[in-house]
Amino acid sequence: MTLTRPRLMAISLCALLTLIVLWFAWSSNRAGQSVREARPLSVMMEPSPPMNFAPADPSPVRPPSIDAGNAGREAGPNIGPTAAPGVAFNYRYAFRLGAARIAEVQERHAAMCERLTVARCRITGMLYRVVGERDIEAMLALKVDPAGARHFGREATDVVVQAEGLLTESEISGTDAGAAIEAAGRGIAGLEAELARLEARLRRGTAAERGSLDYEAQLLRERIRALRDGREASQESLAVTPMMFRYGSGDRVPGFAPRPTLGQSLEDAGQSFVSGAELLLRLVIALLPWALAAGLIAWIAARIRRRWFAPAAAPADK
């Protein structure tokens, strides 16, 4: 059987389409395997009773396992807030880790909190997101006993350093909750005294005055309720210390932008080339059916034109 040009083109297109489908299947399998290798955090978030930070025993929280001599650049400065009664602190840490170590470190931090029991530490939120093969971001939010918050943060940083990670950001912010509590107490006392005088006037007042006096008393009660809610919120901020750990690898490292090495630049260039080739192949696959349909229509039109509209051959002279 003679292979004509249309048959050769059809065979070539079929072979090309088969190679493209096989390449995409291999790429998808590899990407799925990379995602499966990243093991997410296995922490069960269950409702827990309200926190009670009364110490279970008189012994203080165990000090951190790192000392001043081992605290290097990876662990950050060993600086803690000065003891200040009435100040509510908030701790935030950011870490750079390898993609394969983030889930492990996140689980170890959660286990540290669980060992303290819900009376001294509680997990309030977590996040684990795989963005790319090398790019993973994660978060762990805690509420810790204020007396051991600094030690807990140093121990958590030590865990990261042992996993060949790096502390990229450490922030401790404070709010003078004690002053807010005192101001709210003074405001409540003044408003309650004013409300008592207004209620005495209500008891002695006439029926015409009671409407306006009752409205003023209702406004005072609402102001007192708002001040009490604010005071309770300030007292709660003194009873617990929020702490947040953020983890990242690759381009998802929080607060860190390292200068790429030559190998990383070459790898990024290779990935850009592969991404461009993949986009081009997707475009070819999207346009291939239309190109095949157009070629088939053109071939049918050419056959019809040659068969039905070709000029008849002149008869040969005898």
Side-chain angles (χ1 to χ4, degrees):
M1 182 179 62
T2 305
L3 293 178
T4 60
R5 181 176 295 180
R7 289 179 179 177
L8 288 175
M9 290 180 61
I11 294 174
S12 301
L13 288 175
C14 291
L16 177 61
L17 184 59
T18 303
L19 290 175
I20 291 173
V21 171
L22 291 176
W23 185 85
F24 270 106
W26 176 79
S27 300
S28 301
N29 188 20
R30 183 182 178 188
Q33 183 179 2
S34 300
V35 173
R36 287 192 300 270
E37 288 175 354
R39 182 169 50 93
L41 176 66
S42 58
V43 177
M44 297 187 64
M45 304 294 296
E46 297 181 354
S48 55
M51 298 183 72
N52 179 15
F53 282 110
D57 53 65
S59 60
V61 179
R62 185 171 60 88
S65 58
I66 58 175
D67 53 18
N70 294 330
R73 181 178 62 86
E74 292 80 5
N78 188 8
I79 300 174
T82 305
V87 177
F89 291 103
N90 193 334
Y91 289 70
R92 298 176 64 90
Y93 297 90
F95 304 111
R96 184 192 69 175
L97 286 156
R101 307 299 296 271
I102 289 181
E104 173 192 350
V105 172
Q106 196 177 21
E107 289 180 356
R108 291 184 63 183
H109 286 167
M112 289 171 54
C113 180
E114 292 173 354
R115 283 197 300 269
L116 293 177
T117 71
V118 294
R120 295 186 179 182
C121 183
R122 183 192 303 172
I123 299 174
T124 58
M126 63 84 58
L127 169 71
Y128 186 91
R129 179 182 295 123
V130 179
V131 183
E133 187 175 352
R134 298 183 309 164
D135 302 330
I136 297 177
E137 58 183 1
M139 178 274 296
L140 185 66
L142 312 167
K143 284 187 177 181
V144 188
D145 182 359
R150 180 188 175 190
H151 295 312
F152 189 91
R154 293 301 300 175
E155 287 188 337
T157 304
D158 186 26
V159 170
V160 173
V161 174
Q162 293 174 1
E164 300 179 355
L166 174 68
L167 173 68
T168 61
E169 184 178 352
S170 176
E171 178 184 357
I172 303 176
S173 58
T175 304
D176 193 356
I181 293 173
E182 293 179 1
R186 290 192 299 267
I188 291 172
L191 291 175
E192 286 179 343
E194 185 177 353
L195 179 61
R197 291 192 296 269
L198 194 60
E199 289 176 346
R201 291 177 57 190
L202 272 170
R203 289 190 296 269
R204 298 191 306 267
T206 62
E209 296 175 342
R210 287 177 183 175
S212 61
L213 292 176
D214 188 64
Y215 178 72
E216 293 179 8
Q218 185 63 27
L219 292 179
L220 288 176
R221 294 189 187 97
E222 291 179 358
R223 292 175 60 186
I224 292 173
R225 188 180 301 111
L227 286 176
R228 285 176 177 171
D229 292 342
R231 183 175 62 179
E232 291 177 0
S234 299
Q235 291 172 347
E236 184 179 357
S237 67
L238 290 176
V240 297
T241 296
M243 184 173 294
M244 179 179 292
F245 298 141
R246 293 185 300 154
Y247 319 84
S249 65
D251 295 333
R252 294 288 173 167
V253 178
F256 185 77
R259 184 177 180 180
T261 62
L262 179 59
Q264 291 175 346
S265 300
L266 292 175
E267 186 177 355
D268 292 340
Q271 290 183 350
S272 300
F273 175 78
V274 172
S275 299
E278 182 178 354
L279 179 61
L280 182 61
L281 287 175
R282 290 180 183 273
L283 183 62
V284 170
I285 292 175
L287 297 178
L288 185 59
W290 299 98
L292 291 175
L296 181 61
I297 293 173
W299 179 73
I300 293 174
R303 294 292 299 270
I304 293 174
R305 186 175 63 251
R306 286 197 300 267
R307 176 170 294 186
W308 299 100
F309 297 99
D317 296 335
K318 294 184 179 178

